[in-house]
Amino acid sequence: MEKGKDNLYMASEYVRFLSRLFLTAKRTYGRHQDDVRSGSRAFDVLFMLQVHGERPPTMSCLANELGISKQQLTKLINPLETRGLVRRMHDNLNRRQVHVIITPEGERAVDALLDAQASRLAPDMDVYTPEEKQDFLSCVSTIRRLLGKLETAG
């Protein structure tokens, strides 16, 4: 297979995989939606900040990554900042640019929500045999590693 077609095939398989993954996760999450608030836009902001890396994003960059307007992001950031989960920091070189930083409290909040969601999902994992559980963990590890390369390329 030539490179362009190979890349298109990989991208197509990746998109189909993500669609299936999100549908499966949504179905599982939906059973516990009243208990877990990890599907909220505020959680999306915190999670994005947690996985963003060492350089905190600007408000514009974060809004773009979340697919929302800067005004919508501001409405999400204000209460998160009031609760001490994030803080804003003006850029030293360009004071008009504002970076958003997750605080240690915000990190703990994200981790607590993810742990709660995992606890609710854990009993569902009984559908797998011990061998399938090993396969599952191996696949997740491989996917995380490979997605890391894709993230750094973009």
Side-chain angles (χ1 to χ4, degrees):
M1 200 179 282
E2 61 187 74
K3 185 177 181 177
K5 287 183 180 178
D6 187 42
N7 287 350
L8 180 59
Y9 175 74
M10 285 179 60
S12 176
E13 287 298 305
Y14 174 64
V15 168
R16 283 170 174 69
F17 164 76
L18 285 180
S19 297
R20 177 115 188 235
L21 178 68
F22 287 129
L23 284 175
T24 302
K26 185 177 178 180
R27 221 180 355 251
T28 303
Y29 171 75
R31 283 186 256 151
H32 309 291
Q33 196 165 358
D34 294 337
D35 299 328
V36 181
R37 295 286 181 219
S38 60
S40 70
R41 278 300 209 179
F43 175 80
D44 293 345
V45 169
L46 290 173
F47 185 75
M48 183 71 75
L49 289 172
Q50 188 181 51
V51 299
H52 210 275
E54 292 185 23
R55 179 145 170 81
T58 62
M59 290 282 287
S60 297
C61 177
L62 187 58
N64 188 47
E65 288 177 2
L66 291 166
I68 60 176
S69 69
K70 289 185 274 185
Q71 294 81 4
Q72 288 172 303
L73 180 61
T74 298
K75 289 179 183 179
L76 290 169
I77 293 293
N78 288 341
L80 293 174
E81 189 174 36
T82 299
R83 292 176 55 199
L85 302 176
V86 300
R87 68 182 179 88
R88 294 176 226 217
M89 180 181 75
H90 287 276
D91 190 276
N92 290 334
L93 300 175
N94 182 351
R95 299 285 298 160
R96 292 177 297 168
Q97 285 192 335
V98 178
H99 296 271
V100 185
I101 301 164
I102 189 168
T103 65
E105 293 83 11
E107 297 264 358
R108 285 191 292 276
V110 170
D111 289 340
L113 285 168
L114 292 174
D115 288 346
Q117 193 169 7
S119 293
R120 287 170 178 81
L121 179 60
D124 295 342
M125 294 297 173
D126 285 338
V127 301
Y128 299 117
T129 66
E131 295 80 19
E132 288 172 329
K133 288 178 181 180
Q134 277 305 120
D135 287 346
F136 187 94
L137 289 173
S138 177
C139 288
V140 168
S141 176
T142 300
I143 289 169
R144 288 179 72 171
R145 179 179 53 82
L146 292 173
L147 286 177
K149 288 183 82 169
L150 191 60
E151 287 173 357
T152 58

